[in-house]
Amino acid sequence: QVQLQQTGPGLVKPSQTLSLTCAISGDSVSSAGAAWHWIRQPPSGGLEWLGRTYYRSKWYNEYAVSVQSRITVNPDTSKNHFSLQLDSVTPEDTAVYYCTGESGGGLDFWGQGALVTVSS
Amino acid sequence: QSALTQPPSASGSPGQSVTISCTGTSRDIGTYNYVSWYQQHPGKAPKLMIYEVSKRPSGVPNRFSGSKSGNTASLTVSGLQTEDGADYYCSSYTGSNGFVFGTGTKVTVL
């Protein structure tokens, strides 16, 4: 069974970079057929897809238009994890952030979620 | 990319059925059969209930079913049980813009 464990700070200052890591157990970040996503959910709000990374003979990344200029999702094969970097954050980036895994058509596996607050 | 449109709420008595709609466009639901549905209880991570329009992951009761017609997808929960009370979100692949979620529907079991 695939498990995802998120780590990262819960408080980030405005204009700084939000960084989160998602450790994968039970699968490989470079597994053919899998993809690894970041999703967020503002307080009392809905889900927002942020981006994903996946390996199909080479690495691919896709990002939401809304954060395209500020986001980086990187795989790390040596540690079997993937990360989220969101630059120049504002209070509107305050949300619960989830890492998720897709093995065949849907987001099957979810991390525990982490509330990240952007505040000075 | 705008969020897919769902009704804010839906309800039914135990044993009844409830259907939730998810309306997109020809650039997402209308083109791709990558529609998923997620159930989320308060304070919990979402759970995949339906993928690729109508497929159920292992362990999801067959009371949950999905369908699609044109730019609109639907999730039906038959034989409602109290534990089905939760928020439900649809999602679709959009091609070059990645994925988009729906606005969410709160299902209440009366």
Side-chain angles (χ1 to χ4, degrees):
Chain A
Q1 177 73 348
V2 177
Q3 292 188 322
L4 304 178
Q5 181 69 39
Q6 301 176 220
T7 54
L11 181 64
V12 181
K13 294 186 186 321
S15 81
Q16 294 191 342
T17 295
L18 180 160
S19 296
L20 296 172
T21 297
C22 185
I24 303 166
S25 58
D27 201 348
S28 168
V29 70
S30 54
S31 176
W36 309 98
H37 302 239
W38 288 97
I39 310 292
R40 71 181 178 182
Q41 185 170 33
S44 303
L47 301 172
E48 180 185 12
W49 180 80
L50 296 177
R52 70 170 177 172
T53 188
Y54 58 97
Y55 185 78
R56 304 288 186 270
S57 302
K58 68 174 186 176
W59 287 101
Y60 293 87
N61 290 305
E62 291 177 304
Y63 300 128
V65 171
S66 61
V67 295
Q68 196 169 32
S69 63
R70 303 191 289 131
I71 188 173
T72 304
V73 177
N74 271 333
D76 185 328
T77 56
S78 65
K79 297 179 180 178
N80 201 33
H81 74 204
F82 64 108
S83 62
L84 168 69
Q85 236 181 249
L86 190 64
D87 299 326
S88 305
V89 296
T90 71
E92 285 66 46
D93 294 310
T94 294
V96 174
Y97 286 75
Y98 293 99
C99 61
T100 81
E102 171 196 2
S103 65
L107 302 177
D108 310 76
F109 313 108
W110 292 71
Q112 76 275 26
L115 174 63
V116 179
T117 301
V118 179
S119 174
S120 54
Chain B
Q1 182 68 37
S2 299
L4 307 173
T5 301
Q6 298 180 231
S9 62
S11 62
S13 299
Q16 290 185 332
S17 294
V18 65
T19 297
I20 304 167
S21 62
C22 171
T23 302
T25 70
S26 58
R27 297 183 299 276
D28 38 66
I29 293 177
T31 295
Y32 300 99
N33 286 326
Y34 288 106
V35 177
S36 304
W37 289 90
Y38 301 87
Q39 177 192 66
Q40 187 180 33
H41 287 107
K44 302 292 188 182
K47 175 186 176 183
L48 178 65
M49 305 302 284
I50 295 288
Y51 68 100
E52 292 180 7
V53 177
S54 60
K55 298 178 181 179
R56 272 180 292 105
S58 173
V60 172
N62 59 11
R63 304 183 288 104
F64 291 86
S65 62
S67 63
K68 185 184 94 165
S69 178
N71 298 337
T72 299
S74 298
L75 173 73
T76 297
V77 186
S78 306
L80 267 175
Q81 299 185 4
T82 53
E83 60 264 34
D84 298 333
D87 293 329
Y88 291 82
Y89 294 91
C90 59
S91 174
S92 175
Y93 184 59
T94 72
S96 59
N97 290 329
F99 293 79
V100 63
F101 281 98
T103 49
T105 298
K106 182 179 182 65
V107 170
T108 301
V109 182
L110 301 171

